[in-house]
Amino acid sequence: MIRFTSRFRFGARANPYIKAQKTLKVDGKEYKFFSLPALGDSKLNHLPYSIRVLLESAVRNCDEFAVTQKDVQNILNWETNAPKQIEIPFKPARVILQDFTGVPAVVDLAAMRDAMKRLGGDPQKINPLCPVDLVIDHSVQADVSRVPRAYEENEKIEFTRNYERFEFLKWGSTAFKNFLIVPPGSGIVHQVNLEYLARVVMEEQGYLFPDSVVGTDSHTTMINGLGVTGWGVGGIEAEAVMLGQTISMVLPEVVGFRLHGKLPSNVTATDLVLTCTQMLRKRGVVGKFVEFFGPGVETLSLADRATIANMAPEYGATMGYFPIDHKTIDYLNLTGRPETKVRQIEAYLREQGLFRDYKSGNDPHFSGEVLDLDLASVQPSLSGPKRPHDRVPLAEMKKDWTTCLNNKIGFKGFGIPQEKQADVAEFTYQGQKYSLQHGSVVIAAITSCTNTSNPESMIGAGLLAKNAVEKGLKVKPYIKTTLSPGSNVVTKYFEESGVSKYLDQLGFTTAGYGCMTCIGNTGELDNEVAEAIKNKDLVAAAVLSGNRNFEARIHQQVRANYLASPPLVVAYALAGTVNIDFDTTPVGTDKNGKPVFLKDIWPSREQCSKAVEQALKPQMFRDIYSRIAQGTERWNQLKVNKTDLYQWKPESTYIHNPPFFQTTELNPKPVQPIKNAYCLLNLGDFITTDHISPAGSIAENSPAGRYLKSKGVTKKDFNTYGARRGNDEIMARGTFANTRIINKLVSKVGPQTVYVPTGDVMDVFDAADRHMKEGNQTIVLAGQEYGSGSSRDWAAKGPYLQGVKCVIAQSFERIHRSNLVGMGILPLEFLKGENADTLGLTGKEQFTINVNESNLTLGQTYTVETSTGKKFQAKSRLDTEVEIEYYKHGGILQYVLRKLVKA
């Protein structure tokens, strides 16, 4: 998905659209820009706004090499071309990273410098050519909670635990150009991007052009709420963009989503996004843009729009886009952007036809049938217990919970026998006796960029806490309650509005500024709680204001995980169970013993809006973000050697020189057929990147745990897989290590498989390692939506290191398919209506696929032959000519490295 080119340099090559270059004067300063209206094409007026941004990029970067006039015309003819799967180039303006994905990206760049030197090239060619922002937000864990200033203790633990990683990143900030690091304790990457980093309009060499971004986190789409084009990509693709490459993508269809009406007073933005997610999943928008329009958009705050845009990965779209309008300008002023910059932004966008006026009635054209939602119809909702698009209306939650207990094990079932459903586990905690049942809440977390960036939702949680405390309600002390804001601004407006003390009294003290519970950095449950769950094999519950609730992601002992608004998180913490009907059952009793129902303490949307208006001020943003460049005291105390080449430390269990480039030769070897490959795993539907490469805790007796112990690391210092992504030895061992993965080759749930040649059952890594030592090739069989979830490049790097040559699935998630190609793993799809089960495949066969240099073509279908004599057809998902080149080179970065050596 990358075309080799250099970072744009105006005038480096003749631009055939130079006549479209215009000037714009703002506050006495003159700027140049490539004008879309100057193209004089009437089709421009009907293009979706998201496509206009792609068009501007093509016009501005047109050099008849990386971007051609034909590409520009293909985009202008979007309405005709979108269904045709036509390839177009796109050059993002910048790259954004978080530390879980940022560390391996910098590791790769450091390793590429070594390889560049070995191959006789200039290591300095390995340097970001566009702005790269890295926010350290994934490392902090909720080790300490429910106590005042817990975040200080957790930050201290974070620095001790992640010292090697932080030291490495700081080296990267000195070794590479255009590289900004936002230090730990600042917030969540997407909220910091929204409130501070996003430029909205870029200014470079006297030219103005739209801000656009790719990020190594799938929720990069949150910035679409600000009208910035951007989406998540794999780390390897982001690295190639950093090195000046142009993304090659299929011209997307754009699904129009019309909003009208107004949200009810008891509904939050979370309820709205869960509704949209369910609707869009049903429609099917994988690989497409979604663009919101209609009179209802004007009734939504910018933060509401960002909440909806954030969950684009959950509804399957590449983007969930809100064009820029007056609400965007208001938000830029609210967040303290310089007034001159805001004026420049508005003037440029209006001149370009990129400023949306919803009252004009001139809606763009969209692909196919437009979706329609009356905002007044949105109901309070949750999603779960295992997937973010399984929405449950709050009023039906108790009934749905009972159904889930009864249903066989699956996305909506736990398979609990009737006689076990009333089981009770009694335990003593802090000298008091308590009991747990199926559905008991043991984790309640106000977390995640999805919601902590929304002041109304956050203030709503604070007002509900205030109302609850004033009535004498309490949260049981064994419930792990945490608050992890997405930026320090949240703390400021909590204090200003006076709700902090009430959240503190219910246990929702600030545990840290970062992703925390949403990414799985939940910390441990207290031993008494963990033992109670284990003794009765209970389906305990977590309620979090996050965007992901896949199995074993939040906590390995908590099987039921529900996404909910921040106020509902507090409500369920008070109730102590998800097995409740709030209409008929009180959340508790007041000081006089009178029942208190949820409706008695629930703040209206109007009350929340008023509180936000009074508490949130632009100066808060200016004060907080003016300190980011200064860094924290701990960060500034980190001392590193300023060297061009990284001095690898063989003893490090955090940072390790990966094998990806150590044997790369100047020219690639010819593509060879896959012969007599064994099946490493036979998987079903909706295998997520969390299943493939978990981010959470490392089990003591897992392959990764055994490896760490062999290196003298004790269990308490294992940290998480996410924090260990700079070490390929650990990540290879952590691939397919999710404790809830279901592999059809074995009878039990868990990270094991069969070594087919002998029939032995063992950990997946051990089987893969044995195959490689025996010289066996391997493949993976899978069902629908393989690789859903996070844009996790280790979900492709890990299988590569385990020797996997091909994945044959019914369908792939967009980013993961790209990542597989980027690592030289062949993605194939079963023909429509077929899968491993319908074809009678057990996974114990051997597979031969005659892929070679001569038959690597777009749309190719290969015959897969098995050792049992069965044959079936599978379609190649190398979707562009450029991807075929990547596959021939063994991956994107090998392709880029060779080109840079020869440049």
Side-chain angles (χ1 to χ4, degrees), residues 660-892:
F660 307 131
F661 314 106
Q662 292 183 16
T663 59
T664 300
E665 298 176 358
L666 200 54
N667 296 300
K669 295 177 180 178
V671 172
Q672 298 295 319
I674 297 169
K675 291 185 176 180
N676 299 316
Y678 288 96
C679 179
L680 186 60
L681 300 99
N682 183 4
L683 304 167
D685 295 338
F686 206 73
I687 294 297
T688 69
T689 51
D690 277 283
H691 287 116
I692 305 167
S693 183
S697 60
I698 300 172
E700 188 169 7
N701 293 319
S702 66
R706 297 196 300 270
Y707 176 82
L708 284 169
K709 285 193 290 186
S710 76
K711 297 294 182 180
V713 180
T714 60
K715 175 67 172 70
K716 70 180 180 64
D717 294 321
F718 276 9
N719 212 327
T720 63
Y721 284 113
R724 296 278 182 181
R725 286 182 187 163
N727 189 303
D728 57 279
E729 295 280 6
I730 293 167
M731 295 310 295
R733 288 164 171 80
T735 302
F736 298 114
N738 188 297
T739 58
R740 306 305 301 173
I741 194 169
I742 298 176
N743 176 14
K744 298 175 187 176
L745 287 173
V746 292
S747 58
K748 292 184 179 180
V749 174
Q752 292 198 313
T753 195
V754 170
Y755 180 70
V756 175
T758 64
D760 294 337
V761 176
M762 60 187 71
D763 289 327
V764 175
F765 171 79
D766 295 333
D769 188 51
R770 191 166 170 183
H771 277 301
M772 288 189 288
K773 287 175 178 175
E774 294 294 328
N776 302 329
Q777 293 182 319
T778 55
I779 68 164
V780 171
L781 297 175
Q784 297 182 40
E785 300 183 55
Y786 180 76
S788 297
S790 302
S791 57
R792 194 164 293 172
D793 58 337
W794 269 110
K797 287 180 175 178
Y800 168 87
L801 292 176
Q802 289 189 351
V804 173
K805 303 298 180 185
C806 173
V807 177
I808 310 176
Q810 280 184 269
S811 63
F812 292 92
E813 191 274 341
R814 173 186 63 86
I815 299 174
H816 186 63
R817 184 204 62 80
S818 172
N819 282 342
L820 291 174
V821 176
M823 289 308 300
I825 297 175
L826 181 65
L828 297 181
E829 280 186 2
F830 292 106
L831 298 186
K832 189 173 182 179
E834 295 182 348
N835 58 38
D837 293 340
T838 63
L839 293 168
L841 302 175
T842 65
K844 296 185 178 180
E845 307 86 350
Q846 287 179 268
F847 300 80
T848 295
I849 308 165
N850 188 28
V851 57
N852 55 58
E853 293 275 338
S854 63
N855 63 15
L856 273 175
T857 56
L858 290 179
Q860 182 67 266
T861 298
Y862 297 101
T863 299
V864 182
E865 301 180 14
T866 71
S867 56
T868 62
K870 290 180 180 177
K871 297 181 181 180
F872 62 94
Q873 302 291 303
K875 181 183 177 182
S876 169
R877 285 301 313 275
L878 299 175
D879 288 353
T880 66
E881 294 288 352
V882 178
E883 288 190 342
I884 290 175
E885 285 301 307
Y886 301 159
Y887 184 72
K888 289 179 178 179
H889 280 260
I892 293 178

Side-chain angles (χ1 to χ4, degrees), residues 524-751:
E524 295 301 326
L525 296 175
D526 287 311
N527 289 333
E528 299 92 330
V529 177
E531 284 300 312
I533 294 171
K534 181 179 177 181
N535 290 340
K536 288 291 185 176
D537 193 26
L538 295 176
V539 181
V543 183
L544 64 149
S545 62
N547 47 44
R548 295 271 164 82
N549 55 345
F550 304 136
E551 292 179 280
R553 177 185 175 98
I554 307 305
H555 194 283
Q556 293 189 3
Q557 281 192 279
V558 181
R559 283 185 271 172
N561 299 279
Y562 286 93
L563 306 181
S565 66
L568 272 182
V569 170
V570 179
Y572 274 102
L574 291 165
T577 180
V578 296
N579 186 21
I580 184 173
D581 181 343
F582 283 122
D583 288 336
T584 59
T585 306
V587 291
T589 54
D590 66 14
K591 301 168 185 176
N592 300 316
K594 182 182 176 182
V596 178
F597 288 85
L598 182 58
K599 65 181 179 181
D600 300 327
I601 56 175
W602 189 269
S604 71
R605 190 169 173 84
E606 292 73 22
Q607 288 174 318
C608 296
S609 297
K610 184 178 180 180
V612 169
E613 186 178 342
Q614 293 174 345
L616 191 59
K617 307 297 179 187
Q619 194 59 41
M620 292 178 177
F621 294 90
R622 296 190 189 102
D623 291 345
I624 292 298
Y625 287 114
S626 65
R627 296 197 293 268
I628 275 190
Q630 301 170 17
T632 62
E633 183 179 353
R634 286 191 177 92
W635 179 258
N636 291 334
Q637 288 173 353
L638 281 175
K639 304 299 180 185
V640 296
N641 294 322
K642 295 182 179 181
T643 58
D644 288 342
L645 299 178
Y646 184 68
Q647 305 302 306
W648 304 98
K649 302 172 184 176
E651 73 280 4
S652 174
T653 56
Y654 277 100
I655 307 298
H656 185 258
N657 190 357
F660 307 131
F661 314 106
Q662 292 183 16
T663 59
T664 300
E665 298 176 358
L666 200 54
N667 296 300
K669 295 177 180 178
V671 172
Q672 298 295 319
I674 297 169
K675 291 185 176 180
N676 299 316
Y678 288 96
C679 179
L680 186 60
L681 300 99
N682 183 4
L683 304 167
D685 295 338
F686 206 73
I687 294 297
T688 69
T689 51
D690 277 283
H691 287 116
I692 305 167
S693 183
S697 60
I698 300 172
E700 188 169 7
N701 293 319
S702 66
R706 297 196 300 270
Y707 176 82
L708 284 169
K709 285 193 290 186
S710 76
K711 297 294 182 180
V713 180
T714 60
K715 175 67 172 70
K716 70 180 180 64
D717 294 321
F718 276 9
N719 212 327
T720 63
Y721 284 113
R724 296 278 182 181
R725 286 182 187 163
N727 189 303
D728 57 279
E729 295 280 6
I730 293 167
M731 295 310 295
R733 288 164 171 80
T735 302
F736 298 114
N738 188 297
T739 58
R740 306 305 301 173
I741 194 169
I742 298 176
N743 176 14
K744 298 175 187 176
L745 287 173
V746 292
S747 58
K748 292 184 179 180
V749 174

Side-chain angles (χ1 to χ4, degrees), residues 379-400:
Q379 305 172 46
S381 302
L382 298 89
S383 276
K386 302 180 184 182
R387 297 190 301 185
H389 53 277
D390 291 330
R391 185 179 69 89
V392 185
L394 180 63
E396 299 175 17
M397 184 63 185
K398 181 176 175 63
K399 178 183 176 182
D400 189 80

